Amino acid sequence: MSRAPPVLRVAVATPLRQLFDYRGPADPIRPGMRVRVPFGRRRMIGVVMAAAEASDIAEDRLKAVLETLDDRPVFDAGMLELLQWAAGYYHHPIGEVVAAALPKALRLGASLAAQEERWRITAAGRAACGQGEPRRAPRQRELLAALLLGERSTAQLREQLGEAWRAAARLLGTRGWIESAQVSSAPPAAGDAAPAAGAGPPLNDEQREAAGRIEASLGQFGAFLLQGVTGSGKTEVYLRVTAQTLAQGRSALVLVPEIGLTPQLVGRFRDRFGVPMAVLHSGLTDHERLLAWREAYAGRARIVLGTRSAVFAPVANLGVIIADEEHDASYKQQDGGFRYSARDLAVMRARRAAVPVVLGSATPALETLHNVAAGRYTRLVLTRRAVQSAPPRLALIDLRAHAHSAGLSTPALQAIERHLDAGGQALVFLNRRGYAPTLLCTACGWVAPCKDCDARLTVHLAAQALRCHHCGAEALLPQRCPQCGFAVKPVGQGTERLEEALAQRFPGVPCVRLDRDVVRRRGDLEAAVRRIASGEGRILVGTQMVTKGHDFPNVTLVVVLNADQGLFSTDFRAPERLAQTIVQVAGRAGRGTRPGEVLIQTEFPDHPLLTGLLQEGYEGFARTALTERRQAAWPPFSRLAAVRDSARTAQSALDFLTDARALADGARGVRLLGPVPAAMAKRAGRHHAQLLIESPERTALHRFLEAWLPLLAALPSARRVRWALDVDPMELF
Ligand code: ADP
Ligand code: ZN
Ligand code: ZN
């Protein structure tokens, strides 16, 4: 019999970029299990990453593990590798990476093994029962009678006897007639037959081809881009591949950008399969998240569906990973310390688990298209809408040539009228919530500013408030200018004002608004979507929220109110995001049997991005955009990382990055850009700045960061800032 390795290498949640060695207990511990360890003056919970024969730390200074928290690993070998890889790739301390991957309850020591309290009758209880005891306690007698037939779980007893069972159990317990124990509920046997799947529609040729290619890869790694316009039937392909996976006795991990915005997708998985599902998203309480992890870990949930951090969820017998809307920026963790891309980690996880991964989108990220071109991903294309083949007609409205009121041009208003008359619904898209983005005094020129941000306060008329959309600051809506006492007026358009204008222009036509001000609680979105889907709402006004995952079969017209925001940004990704938004919102038109029309209002109708998109669609846009990225040596033709910091003064924020840059002097294979203050330098009272590091190749960037980052922490100017590294940043400022 082999002896347990004496040394355990443990990931502990600290900013130190290393593992910590401990002497293991007598019982063997496998990598992936949680342990409680002494750490400085504290005790902390860490995860065993590896076992070693010896440590660099002297035997007498090596501390011992205090307690083992799991009896089998929380993370399997593939996941441990993935976490190590992520710590390296994102240059983040391994202990914090591992902590970020765990739900809070598990970080605090909760048990992952699903536990059940089971009750049984004791010998004394049986004897008492035989003598007709207890005489005047019908509840207790009932409980004993139930246990005479065999062990019962808490849940079973509650169901059988109602809430009163607990008091009865306590009394019987004190008399020693019954007893209970915590036992792990057994995971289902591997290869349980998958319950019969509900039938989907027969797939069309393209869908069948796509599903077939993915299914042929079940059991081995393969990365697929499933590209198809909204409504082309991507979800049906996911469902088919999932059905095959379940039939093979394996489970599926499905990632979505934001669950609140995609209830329809969740519903379709739930309706199609009669298997338990674990759903993971940011709206769960810590306990709910723990329960969902337990279901997934024990293999009871056969489909695990969730947002970003679900990429770390345990999935017993993983068979396939699907990431819907893979281009969506919410897959990237944009704040905090560990800034990872769940989409990219999904691909790495699939590789380690030897399963296929499917990235679905109507508007794939340029990085993903580049990976296709490089032969790393296989592209599967759905060219037609599944239920209706005519794509919507796109046209531009030149805002300089047409009168407009409340942001709506005459041609747009005429089109809305036409579509309403024809019995259709119209969707008006404006990516700005609130009533108006500015409150202005026409006498002295004062505009309501946020005192903590370089931003104006947005007017929220219904709430009679001024709100900052960047820091959340809120003030009462003033009636007069605080500077000169003259009347103030809201300037510009927000969705609230747009709704008001449409109600005036089309009296009696019900309008539904969709933005974060009206969708606040669970169920709000579903309610709004129902009003639109039922035809009760005829005009739909909305922000980005309407571009995601909803099926509005009767919407025949989409008006994009202002496409110009993304045209002239300093962020090299802005055109990509704009094109994606336009295509996604356009995809809401004409999903039923009627053809759709899309009108885009702009002051720049000759802008190549817009004309290219109109003439050649996303495909054409992507080709042009990739050429531009290549010429400018931006990703995916180079590798990028950003050091962002914030401080109480603009000077401190810049000083740290200037010192950081000086440390990099003479570094080879990388180019440093900046530091520059963020476009909105002041946010929530802190001043932000950034320094970009660019390299033609990943290894050079990696080598540089490896050597450079540890030096930054030691800079005296680091003490006055909060800073973080962002590898593959999604948003530049
Ligand atoms: P996507 O995910 O690409 O937006 P969906 O899978 O949601 O597309 O399909 C759009 C609509 O077409 C859905 O209502 C779906 O039920 C239907 N659909 C998809 N594939 C087929 C098919 N092969 N036959 C009939 N209807 C289909
Ligand atoms: Zn004034
Ligand atoms: Zn603010």
Side-chain angles (χ1 to χ4, degrees):
M1 218 179 89
S2 72
R3 215 166 52 87
V7 177
L8 300 176
R9 318 212 63 206
V10 180
V12 182
T14 76
L16 298 171
R17 297 164 186 271
Q18 63 174 90
L19 297 174
F20 297 89
D21 288 359
Y22 290 92
R23 193 163 345 98
D27 305 336
I29 294 188
R30 278 181 288 160
M33 291 181 179
R34 288 170 303 155
V35 287
R36 199 185 304 274
V37 293
F39 192 84
R41 290 157 177 275
R42 290 185 297 162
R43 301 165 146 222
M44 292 181 76
I45 290 174
V47 172
V48 177
M49 300 302 284
E53 285 303 324
S55 171
D56 293 342
I57 297 175
E59 177 68 27
D60 56 335
R61 293 191 48 220
L62 199 61
K63 292 186 184 149
V65 160
L66 300 169
E67 185 190 356
T68 307
L69 295 168
D70 299 301
D71 48 21
R72 66 189 175 102
V74 173
F75 294 116
D76 63 22
M79 281 302 293
L80 290 177
E81 264 179 58
L82 181 73
L83 295 170
Q84 291 273 19
W85 179 87
Y89 184 86
Y90 293 107
H91 291 272
H92 199 71
I94 179 70
E96 290 187 355
V97 168
V98 170
L102 283 172
K104 187 166 174 205
L106 292 176
R107 286 204 299 272
L108 296 177
S111 167
L112 182 52
Q115 302 245 311
E116 260 183 353
E117 198 176 22
R118 292 191 72 85
W119 298 81
R120 61 162 186 260
I121 188 164
T122 60
R126 257 173 223 288
C129 231
Q131 291 156 13
E133 293 271 356
R135 294 193 200 285
R136 275 177 301 279
R139 283 267 173 249
Q140 295 179 37
R141 269 239 291 287
E142 214 180 327
L143 180 50
L144 281 178
L147 295 182
L148 269 176
L149 300 174
E151 267 184 30
R152 292 281 184 276
S153 71
T154 293
Q156 288 167 325
L157 288 178
R158 182 179 299 121
E159 195 172 321
Q160 198 175 339
L161 305 170
E163 279 308 324
W165 81 274
R166 191 45 98 179
R170 203 170 24 242
L171 292 167
L172 289 172
T174 47
R175 300 174 87 165
W177 290 355
I178 66 171
E179 61 189 14
S180 73
Q182 294 281 338
V183 298
S184 351
S185 56
D192 262 1
L203 299 186
N204 65 33
D205 290 351
E206 286 181 337
Q207 287 173 311
R208 207 173 320 116
E209 160 81 15
R213 294 285 295 278
I214 300 163
E215 282 160 24
S217 176
L218 289 176
Q220 69 198 57
F221 173 68
F224 298 91
L225 165 63
L226 180 62
Q227 183 175 0
V229 296
T230 312
S232 61
K234 294 183 297 297
T235 307
E236 280 304 326
V237 173
Y238 305 154
L239 292 165
R240 177 65 56 100
V241 170
T242 302
Q244 279 293 331
T245 305
L246 296 177
Q248 294 187 0
R250 295 183 153 220
S251 302
L253 174 60
V254 183
L255 301 175
V256 295
E258 282 165 273
I259 239 148
L261 301 185
T262 48
Q264 288 175 340
L265 185 82
V266 182
R268 275 168 78 183
F269 272 88
R270 195 162 261 149
D271 294 346
R272 186 65 59 87
F273 304 107
V275 299
M277 239 166 99
V279 180
L280 288 157
H281 57 87
S282 57
L284 299 182
T285 64
D286 293 339
H287 186 66
E288 287 169 332
R289 182 179 306 273
L290 174 67
L291 295 182
W293 260 59
R294 282 179 177 165
E295 292 301 293
Y297 182 71
R300 267 188 302 275
R302 300 290 305 283
I303 300 171
V304 179
L305 194 155
T307 48
R308 194 168 52 222
S309 66
V311 74
F312 300 115
V315 181
N317 225 345
L318 180 65
V320 68
I321 305 180
I322 294 164
D324 190 34
E325 307 289 358
E326 63 86 30
H327 64 277
D328 199 295
S330 15
Y331 279 125
K332 182 76 196 271
Q333 173 76 43
Q334 313 254 26
D335 43 41
F338 177 38
R339 302 184 180 198
Y340 62 93
S341 156
R343 177 204 52 207
D344 295 347
L345 285 182
V347 175
M348 299 314 283
R349 179 169 180 179
R351 186 189 293 282
R352 281 169 177 78
V355 301
V357 56
V358 184
L359 309 179
S361 180
T363 53
L366 295 181
E367 272 85 354
T368 302
L369 290 174
H370 183 65
N371 279 326
V372 169
R376 285 187 285 269
Y377 298 176
T378 302
R379 170 151 64 173
L380 307 165
V381 187
L382 306 180
T383 55
R384 292 183 305 273
R385 291 189 175 194
V387 281
Q388 195 260 135
S389 54
R393 287 187 309 274
L394 266 70
L396 299 177
I397 296 177
D398 185 348
L399 276 179
R400 297 164 311 179
H402 296 282
H404 45 95
S405 74
L408 283 156
S409 67
T410 315
L413 286 167
Q414 287 164 346
I416 295 174
E417 183 149 33
R418 205 169 55 241
H419 281 261
L420 291 177
D421 285 348
Q425 289 172 316
L427 187 167
V428 187
F429 172 78
L430 173 61
N431 213 4
R432 202 190 270 140
R433 65 195 169 85
Y435 187 80
T438 306
L439 185 68
L440 173 78
C441 168
T442 45
C444 77
W446 173 86
V447 293
C450 175
K451 64 177 178 7
D452 291 327
C453 304
D454 289 333
R456 293 166 175 182
L457 294 172
T458 299
V459 179
H460 287 258
L461 199 63
Q464 283 291 301
L466 285 170
R467 288 187 189 138
C468 176
H469 287 188
H470 305 283
C471 72
E474 178 155 345
L476 230 57
L477 186 65
Q479 300 306 312
R480 319 223 134 253
C481 172
Q483 209 159 265
C484 73
F486 201 77
V488 285
K489 74 168 200 190
V491 178
Q493 307 305 321
T495 44
E496 193 186 338
R497 182 177 227 174
L498 187 57
E499 184 186 18
E500 179 191 271
L502 285 163
Q504 274 162 17
R505 177 64 179 69
F506 301 102
V509 179
C511 191
V512 177
R513 176 153 63 96
L514 263 186
D515 59 32
R516 266 201 291 128
D517 294 322
V518 285
V519 175
R520 314 189 98 183
R521 276 180 297 274
R522 271 189 219 188
D524 286 350
L525 181 68
E526 286 86 339
V529 167
R530 254 197 314 277
R531 282 185 60 203
I532 298 150
S534 71
E536 184 200 328
R538 301 290 309 283
I539 302 177
L540 167 58
V541 171
T543 55
Q544 203 74 20
M545 207 173 255
V546 301
T547 65
K548 318 224 174 185
H550 307 290
D551 210 348
F552 303 123
N554 250 323
V555 169
T556 52
L557 172 70
V558 168
V559 179
V560 178
L561 216 66
N562 184 354
D564 296 343
Q565 280 164 321
L567 289 179
F568 302 99
S569 168
T570 51
D571 184 344
F572 72 90
R573 284 188 211 275
E576 178 182 356
R577 275 196 297 269
L578 175 62
Q580 286 165 342
T581 301
I582 291 179
V583 173
Q584 296 278 350
V585 72
R588 305 296 132 193
R591 292 192 70 180
T593 44
R594 292 178 244 209
E597 184 176 359
V598 180
L599 299 174
I600 302 165
Q601 299 193 148
T602 175
E603 306 227 6
F604 308 93
D606 302 322
H607 194 287
L609 186 144
L610 294 175
T611 53
L613 203 56
L614 244 65
Q615 280 151 18
E616 294 184 89
Y618 190 75
E619 206 62 5
F621 158 78
R623 212 177 319 112
T624 316
L626 276 168
T627 309
E628 281 176 18
R629 294 261 189 106
R630 185 194 296 276
Q631 281 159 359
W634 284 123
F637 300 97
S638 65
R639 296 297 181 139
L640 207 60
V643 176
R644 268 89 180 249
D645 75 345
S646 73
R648 279 219 209 111
T649 68
Q651 196 57 47
S652 300
L654 284 176
D655 283 350
F656 168 67
L657 295 179
T658 306
D659 292 349
R661 183 175 176 141
L663 282 177
D665 230 17
R668 272 187 311 197
V670 298
R671 193 155 65 104
L672 279 87
L673 307 164
V676 289
M680 189 195 297
K682 192 171 151 208
R683 257 178 296 143
R686 293 184 67 85
H687 296 261
H688 296 251
Q690 111 183 333
L691 174 65
L692 286 183
I693 308 106
E694 190 236 67
S695 173
E697 39 142 16
R698 184 170 119 57
T699 43
L701 179 68
H702 189 79
R703 229 178 299 118
F704 168 76
L705 292 175
E706 192 92 330
W708 183 60
L709 286 172
L711 305 177
L712 300 198
L715 283 170
S717 51
R719 271 183 251 131
R720 286 187 297 277
V721 302
R722 289 184 209 139
W723 67 276
L725 177 75
D726 192 350
V727 175
D728 301 335
M730 281 302 283
E731 270 164 49
L732 303 183
F733 37 71

